[in-house]
Amino acid sequence: MDRSPYPINAPTYLRLRDQIRTDIEGGCWRLGQHLTLHELSAHYNVSNVPVREALLQLQGDGMVDMRMNKGAVVRAVDARFIEEFFDIREALQTLLIVRACRPAGTGLTMSPVPARVHGLLAAAEDAAREVRVGELLAADEALQDELGRLGGNDQAHRLQASRGRLLEAFRRARLELWAAELEVLPVQGRAMLEAITHADPATGIEAVRRHVAASRTYMLRLLKQPEVLPRQAGQQTPR
């Protein structure tokens, strides 16, 4: 198992939960695949008890569906999942952007946006110009994560992030495809950042709407692409 952010005395199921989640995202466990307790116990060299607890946690995150006495099934991604995911994402991101646009405390000035946010935006813009699909999507997702943190609602931010991991697994399982929607992502990312900087929630809400619409369209387009073997992931089709 990979290194964990938890202390050495943390419950095994927490570290196992994070590892299984990472392995789903990385393609070790496929979307729609049935996972038995015995299989997971052998793979991670742990007993069935922490495996069961880890799967229950992942079920709460929406990544697996438990089966009575039969382990779990990694959730599949279809058109309905994509539509519902982005409905929820738009609602959560709108909440977070509005909160992020409010001046901190009772002062009239905004807290400075961390330099990391500006760096992620620059990385997304560079990747879009050079048609590097994987780097663009990774930078944009990290940028949205950081912008969400500025909203100051940890529960909303965690809910959004947990569902996004399954969609990332779906994306990685398909050949990278360039589409016009990708050009919109850094444009709206910059609009969100400027809205936060100038305490302009109306502009931020519109940027979220446009960003989510572009992301939704792109993922629905990817749904029509064939799945690839893990070693093929990362290849890019010509523009």
Side-chain angles (χ1 to χ4, degrees):
M1 293 170 59
D2 293 343
R3 293 183 61 185
S4 169
Y6 297 103
I8 193 169
N9 61 344
T12 300
Y13 77 86
L14 288 178
R15 292 181 281 115
L16 184 59
R17 176 200 63 187
D18 289 357
Q19 187 61 56
I20 296 174
R21 181 190 289 135
T22 297
D23 289 343
I24 289 173
E25 186 176 339
C28 177
W29 309 116
R30 302 185 311 278
L31 301 184
Q33 181 176 355
H34 179 225
L35 305 174
T36 67
L37 295 180
H38 176 74
E39 178 183 26
L40 293 173
S41 296
H43 182 85
Y44 295 108
N45 194 29
V46 295
S47 69
N48 283 358
V49 174
V51 169
R52 185 180 291 108
E53 290 298 321
L55 291 177
L56 286 171
Q57 294 267 321
L58 291 170
Q59 179 172 246
D61 288 344
M63 295 199 74
V64 305
D65 290 322
M66 296 291 289
R67 296 289 188 264
M68 185 67 70
N69 299 321
K70 295 182 179 179
V73 175
V74 182
R75 287 198 62 179
V77 171
D78 55 16
R80 179 175 178 177
F81 178 93
I82 293 172
E83 292 285 2
E84 291 178 351
F85 171 85
F86 283 108
D87 284 346
I88 295 171
R89 180 158 194 166
E90 182 171 355
L92 290 174
Q93 282 194 273
T94 297
L95 166 68
L96 292 169
I97 198 78
V98 169
R99 289 175 60 89
C101 286
R102 296 189 306 197
T106 57
L108 298 178
T109 58
M110 298 294 294
S111 300
V113 175
R116 171 173 166 75
V117 178
H118 293 280
L120 289 169
L121 175 60
E125 290 174 334
D126 288 345
R129 280 193 296 269
E130 298 178 17
V131 197
R132 301 194 305 267
V133 177
E135 292 180 31
L136 167 58
L137 292 171
D140 178 71
E141 190 63 25
L143 172 63
Q144 295 305 313
D145 183 71
E146 290 294 330
L147 292 174
R149 292 179 190 279
L150 297 178
N153 186 318
D154 291 342
Q155 292 194 49
H157 179 259
R158 284 197 299 269
L159 180 60
Q160 174 180 285
S162 64
R163 298 304 193 270
R165 300 290 291 268
L166 195 63
L167 204 63
E168 177 64 10
F170 160 78
R171 183 188 72 78
R172 291 187 180 187
R174 282 161 172 77
L175 288 174
E176 292 176 353
L177 172 74
W178 181 264
E181 297 85 42
L182 296 179
E183 298 178 350
V184 174
L185 302 184
V187 173
Q188 300 309 322
R190 178 168 290 281
M192 290 180 217
L193 181 54
E194 291 180 353
I196 292 172
T197 301
H198 296 97
D200 182 2
T203 297
I205 291 171
E206 179 61 15
V208 165
R209 186 189 70 78
R210 291 175 181 269
H211 186 278
V212 170
S215 299
R216 183 199 307 259
T217 300
Y218 181 72
M219 288 300 172
L220 288 171
R221 189 189 299 273
L222 272 191
L223 192 62
K224 300 176 182 178
Q225 299 298 310
E227 292 190 45
V228 297
L229 297 175
R231 66 176 181 273
Q232 293 176 288
Q235 294 177 356
Q236 181 174 322
T237 54
R239 185 175 182 178

